[in-house]
Amino acid sequence: MSSAARSARAPVPVLDIGGTHVTAALVDPVTNSPLPFSVLRRPLRSDATADSILGTIALTALDLPAEHGACWGVAIPGPFDYDTGMGRFTGIEKFEALSGVDVGAGLRRRLADRAEHLRFLNDADAFAIGEYHAGAAAGHERVACLTLGTGVGSSFLRDGVPVHDGTEVPPGGHVHRLTLHGRPLEDFVSRRAIRALYGRLTGVAEDREPPDVHEIAALVKAGDPAATEAFRYAFETLGQALAPWIDRFEATAVVIGGSMAKSWNLIHPALSVKLVPAGGAVVHVLPARQPAEAPLIGAARWAQDTWSATL
């Protein structure tokens, strides 16, 4: 059997890098699922030095069993040059130390013979590709996937491939670049926006921190009208901003993941009422089926597909 054939059957090593943690795993290329007991997670400080950040990521990767393919899939948030592996994190208050740093070279050096190739992709694209191959986006030729957490991550897929250019998608395929009433969308729907609106509605003093989003969600269930309004406004606004792009892209589904998706019963009604107007085309608004594993599965598929294309 050739080395290429052996590599195609070997587990695919992946990294999912976030602002507070890094996850490493081995993904079975046949079943599209992480191998049991191979998923490792370690806290990561996005405000640390470049050496500390890269060291933590590499340490997590090196904890994986060594029997895996030579090409890694690496999901990482932007701004990032995914083709060259260079960080572009200036002015976003996370991973600032990696701005202008060759992350690919730094990881390959630390991983030595464990990483022959690295294939980087946006973390929202990784989530979307994972849901397409093993989750709620399966069977949809055109689908938009959102990750709702600190902000709004997004990916528009056509036949399982992210679309970043053209008039059918927002700039770069990123919903967070949209504006509404002359302001960035994340001024209306994000962790900080929901907290700020709840604070205003309840008259929380400016020198006091309003509750966090999960606490506001609990208040909705308890019948708090201000909490209910904060969620309704945020996600109706998201639906309003997103609706023209869903129509233009001709998406048949919108898949929702991220930490806020845990409050699905609060998000879904408000988002759907604006996203799917009465009499409009049917658009399925669906919760992610693989919320935790989708980025790992997507990173593995990206590594497989892009590596195979070079052979």
Side-chain angles (χ1 to χ4, degrees):
M1 183 184 295
S2 68
S3 60
R6 284 195 299 272
S7 182
R9 294 189 176 190
V12 182
V14 298
L15 291 164
D16 179 21
I17 301 168
T20 60
H21 71 277
V22 55
T23 303
L26 298 179
V27 177
D28 187 318
V30 177
T31 64
N32 282 324
S33 60
L35 295 177
F37 312 112
S38 79
V39 181
L40 308 172
R41 185 180 174 104
R42 181 175 269 113
L44 180 67
R45 286 187 52 189
S46 62
D47 61 347
T49 65
D51 188 63
S52 176
I53 293 170
L54 294 178
T56 300
I57 295 170
L59 185 63
T60 309
L62 290 169
D63 281 343
L64 290 174
E67 296 75 24
H68 55 68
C71 186
W72 291 67
V74 184
I76 187 170
F80 192 87
D81 189 325
Y82 296 97
D83 291 329
T84 66
M86 296 288 292
R88 304 291 186 219
F89 297 101
T90 304
I92 63 166
E93 299 182 358
K94 66 178 179 181
F95 297 130
E96 292 273 359
L98 295 182
S99 186
V101 172
D102 190 333
V103 174
L107 289 179
R108 281 192 298 272
R109 184 171 64 253
R110 288 168 172 82
L111 296 178
D113 59 351
R114 293 281 297 274
E116 186 176 336
H117 303 280
L118 300 173
R119 293 291 187 266
F120 292 95
L121 77 163
N122 181 267
D123 55 346
D125 286 338
F127 164 76
I129 294 170
E131 282 292 319
Y132 178 81
H133 285 282
H140 292 277
E141 180 182 338
R142 292 171 178 251
V143 59
C145 298
L146 305 181
T147 52
L148 305 177
T150 304
V152 181
S154 62
S155 179
F156 289 73
L157 296 186
R158 183 191 297 121
D159 295 322
V161 178
V163 178
H164 297 139
D165 304 306
T167 59
E168 294 181 319
V169 297
H174 300 305
V175 169
H176 76 267
R177 293 187 181 178
L178 297 178
T179 59
L180 202 63
H181 311 308
R183 294 165 56 191
L185 179 63
E186 289 185 348
D187 280 0
F188 301 92
V189 52
S190 61
R191 175 175 176 263
R192 62 176 172 81
I194 293 173
R195 297 181 71 200
L197 177 56
Y198 181 79
R200 292 194 298 272
L201 291 171
T202 56
V204 172
E206 291 186 5
D207 60 345
R208 290 178 55 202
E209 285 286 318
D212 211 337
V213 171
H214 71 277
E215 297 171 303
I216 298 173
L219 290 169
V220 174
K221 296 175 183 177
D224 185 315
T228 300
E229 174 61 15
F231 264 85
R232 182 203 65 78
Y233 180 79
F235 292 104
E236 283 193 9
T237 300
L238 176 59
Q240 178 184 347
L242 191 58
W245 296 101
I246 297 303
D247 182 60
R248 190 176 298 180
F249 191 64
E250 298 181 348
T252 56
V254 177
V255 176
I256 308 295
S259 59
M260 284 195 199
K262 296 174 184 176
S263 301
W264 177 250
N265 61 320
L266 307 180
I267 293 172
H268 180 260
L271 179 61
S272 297
V273 73
K274 295 293 185 181
L275 191 59
V276 188
V282 174
V283 178
H284 302 278
V285 182
L286 307 169
R289 216 180 288 157
Q290 303 272 9
E293 295 183 344
L296 306 175
I297 297 167
R301 290 293 309 203
W302 186 256
Q304 286 177 280
D305 294 345
T306 56
W307 171 237
S308 297
T310 66
L311 296 178

